[in-house]
Amino acid sequence: MLKPPNTNMKRACISENELPKEWYNILPDLPAPLPPPIDPSTRKPIDAERLEALFAKELIRQELSMDRWIPIPEEVRDAYRIWRPTPLIRAERLERALKTPAKIYFKHEGVSPPGSHKPNTAVAQAYYNMREGVKILTTETGAGQWGSALAFACSLFDLKARVYMVRASYFQKPYRKVMMQIWGAEVAPSPSDKTEFGRKLLRENPDHPGSLGIAISEAVEDALTHENVKYSLGSVLNHVLIHQTIIGLEARKQLEIFDDYPDVVAGCVGGGSSFSGIFWPFYYDVVSGKAPKDVKFIAVEPTACPTLTKGIYFYDFGDSAKLTPLMAMHTLGSSFVPPPIHAGGLRYHGDAPTLCLLVKKGMIEAKAYDQVSVFKAAVFFARHEGLIPAPETAHAIKFVIDEALRCKREGIEETILFNFTGHGLLDLKAYDEYLAGKLQPYHYPDAEIRRTIEKLLSELPWIRNLPYLRED
């Protein structure tokens, strides 16, 4: 581990030999048991064997595992070494521009080949599927970060990726599609004419903008109706979040180099994988009594898709066609169709069940910002730190700037850590629209949120009879 030559050290790097050998699993350390996924056909906890139609057996084992530490296969660690460990950077120029006493650090996940945190789980999922003889992986993608990550990972293990990309993002971000195709993936705008569910939606509305829930439905239908095909999910599920803890585990080592520890850990949230990846290891420190101080965990989402801040904690389907098991989570209702904002990776109606449980228990605070204030923060960050963040990442940056200014007003010295989940070099159309004054500070109407939630409650009235959501 490299020691700082002086107090003005800008970045902390660790060697490939210090790459973590295990992922962290939060399930043993939750404040209450995680409500189980429910099979809607039986109204009982789903049989793990039924998941084998979609997922590799090892991923199902990890999904349900109560082991605190999950070994990382050497083949996966070898693939990680293409870009990991990623640097931890102190945002000194941003601190000076804000004139804040706060210290700001970010974990730069944008250095991966696809440009985001997503390969951390894509590589692992492709590896386990390859080991079980799978030939094709289907998936959904919003902004294209997850789709490009899975395409990249499949290319490493001689698999084919078939990606259903939310239609609005497909046309907003055409170069993400090109990246996927370079790595050998087949890409379709969702809703598409390749699945029965997609064709149904296009008949109803030929200009349907799509949603992550719809794209998930198409990918799941594809996997269920073809041989040697499995489904791969880029967020929400436990095994996905487990793989992402490589981020926080590295960051914890790197903060030791700075002789520092966070007061606040923040991240953007769509499904919850990147935020969970950075905060889980620090959460473990807190609940195990190893943290040297109290830590606040802040999840940041868009006002256009305010799942944690305005959604209901209830069982819901993970997709729009209702093909998945029911999961206990904050949700806007699986029929929710978000507006085509540029932070495509944050346009999901639900969130990771583990994250939602912690929000419900008051251990995580959720905040929401509109896209105009988010892009203003992103531009301010880029003009001082040089890096252009993805629109998703910019949500976390907006909070970090606000928090640093609060420290300035109150004369508080805080250490703030956030996850720089990806670069925005393929999102310049969004920046162009912001700079031209064309973006609107969109807030999803409360009346529409009430409508989709009421629809959910009316469709699943029997959920209230289950014991899993009742308070002790």
Side-chain angles (χ1 to χ4, degrees):
M1 189 177 292
L2 301 176
K3 293 298 179 183
N6 56 60
T7 57
N8 295 320
M9 185 177 182
K10 176 72 173 173
R11 63 173 61 205
C13 300
I14 56 176
S15 72
E16 292 180 15
N17 294 332
E18 294 175 279
L19 195 67
K21 296 182 179 180
E22 295 175 309
W23 295 298
Y24 168 61
N25 176 16
I26 201 173
L27 290 190
D29 300 315
L30 290 174
L34 191 68
I38 298 296
D39 184 338
S41 66
T42 65
R43 300 186 179 183
K44 296 179 180 179
I46 194 164
D47 186 338
E49 290 185 2
R50 292 203 61 184
L51 298 174
E52 292 179 11
L54 286 177
F55 301 108
K57 292 179 182 179
E58 173 58 23
L59 296 175
I60 297 171
R61 189 195 71 77
Q62 292 178 12
E63 183 72 16
L64 304 174
S65 175
M66 292 300 289
D67 294 337
R68 184 172 284 114
W69 301 101
I70 308 291
I72 305 176
E74 189 53 42
E75 295 90 336
V76 174
R77 293 181 77 240
D78 184 62
Y80 279 170
R81 290 187 184 98
I82 296 173
W83 75 97
R84 305 206 72 88
T86 61
L88 180 77
I89 300 174
R90 182 168 174 190
E92 289 181 312
R93 292 176 182 274
L94 179 64
E95 294 169 13
R96 291 199 296 270
L98 296 171
K99 298 182 174 60
T100 179
K103 290 182 286 185
I104 302 171
Y105 299 91
F106 62 94
K107 192 78 163 99
H108 189 1
E109 292 296 297
V111 299
S112 74
S116 78
H117 66 288
K118 293 291 188 178
N120 298 329
T121 184
V123 165
Q125 292 188 51
Y127 167 75
Y128 290 124
N129 277 281
M130 177 274 295
R131 287 288 302 270
E132 295 183 20
V134 174
K135 301 300 181 185
I136 298 173
L137 284 177
T138 68
T139 198
E140 75 292 328
T141 194
Q145 291 181 343
W146 167 243
S148 55
L150 190 67
F152 161 71
C154 285
S155 73
L156 297 180
F157 295 106
D158 199 26
L159 298 176
K160 177 81 172 181
R162 203 142 61 207
V163 183
Y164 294 87
M165 186 173 185
V166 174
R167 183 172 289 268
S169 293
Y170 182 91
F171 294 108
Q172 285 176 346
K173 306 174 192 298
Y175 297 118
R176 288 281 181 196
K177 175 190 68 175
V178 174
M179 286 178 69
M180 294 182 241
Q181 292 171 332
I182 287 172
W183 283 312
E186 177 185 341
V187 190
S190 174
S192 75
D193 60 1
K194 297 182 179 298
T195 67
E196 183 57 39
F197 185 60
R199 289 189 290 270
K200 173 180 177 292
L201 292 177
L202 288 176
R203 285 194 298 270
E204 296 170 356
N205 179 8
D207 297 320
H208 201 300
S211 71
L212 275 174
I214 291 168
I216 290 171
S217 295
E218 292 206 87
V220 168
E221 179 185 326
D222 189 337
L224 291 175
T225 54
H226 293 92
E227 293 291 328
N228 294 319
V229 179
K230 297 285 188 184
Y231 169 64
S232 184
L233 186 63
S235 193
V236 177
L237 295 182
N238 299 337
H239 68 267
V240 179
L241 277 56
I242 287 169
H243 302 155
Q244 292 292 354
T245 60
I246 192 85
I247 302 170
L249 293 168
E250 287 181 4
R252 200 167 58 174
K253 287 185 178 182
Q254 290 163 318
L255 280 168
E256 291 177 8
I257 300 174
F258 282 104
D259 193 24
D260 210 343
Y261 196 86
D263 295 280
V264 180
V265 180
C268 62
V269 172
S273 70
S274 67
F275 177 52
S276 298
I278 198 165
F279 96 80
W280 275 17
F282 295 96
Y283 171 90
Y284 171 68
D285 285 353
V286 170
V287 298
S288 64
K290 298 177 181 178
K293 60 175 83 169
D294 291 333
V295 185
K296 292 189 297 185
F297 303 111
I298 309 294
V300 189
E301 64 184 9
T303 55
C305 191
T307 310
L308 295 173
T309 50
K310 293 190 176 182
I312 183 175
Y313 186 74
F314 201 67
Y315 269 99
D316 196 6
F317 293 95
D319 71 314
S320 299
K322 303 176 175 59
L323 298 176
T324 67
L326 292 160
M327 296 179 291
M329 59 183 178
H330 285 85
T331 178
L332 298 169
S334 57
S335 63
F336 173 82
V337 177
I341 62 168
H342 283 284
L346 307 186
R347 298 170 66 243
Y348 183 56
H349 69 272
D351 270 305
T354 50
L355 172 63
C356 294
L357 179 65
L358 292 172
V359 170
K360 182 172 180 285
K361 293 293 184 180
M363 303 184 77
I364 292 173
E365 182 182 354
K367 293 183 176 290
Y369 296 109
D370 70 81
Q371 65 176 349
V372 174
S373 64
V374 162
F375 273 93
K376 181 180 179 181
V379 169
F380 188 85
F381 179 89
R383 288 176 178 173
H384 295 284
E385 287 296 321
L387 297 169
I388 300 173
E392 295 81 6
T393 309
H395 285 71
I397 292 172
K398 166 60 177 168
F399 163 76
V400 167
I401 289 175
D402 283 0
E403 181 71 4
L405 291 174
R406 184 186 71 83
C407 291
K408 176 183 175 181
R409 289 193 304 272
E410 299 179 10
I412 299 170
E413 293 185 8
E414 263 189 358
T415 295
I416 305 169
L417 170 67
F418 77 95
N419 196 358
F420 189 95
T421 57
H423 67 66
L425 298 181
L426 295 179
D427 299 286
L428 296 183
K429 181 176 183 291
Y431 279 93
D432 184 44
E433 291 184 13
Y434 166 73
L435 294 171
K438 295 179 180 179
L439 293 187
Q440 298 298 315
Y442 192 87
H443 293 250
Y444 202 81
D446 287 346
E448 281 299 302
I449 293 173
R450 285 195 298 271
R451 184 186 66 79
T452 55
I453 290 176
E454 287 170 2
K455 182 179 180 183
L456 167 67
L457 297 177
S458 66
E459 290 176 345
L460 299 171
W462 53 270
I463 290 293
R464 296 187 185 277
N465 298 323
L466 297 178
Y468 309 111
L469 300 184
R470 295 174 189 166
E471 296 290 343
D472 296 334

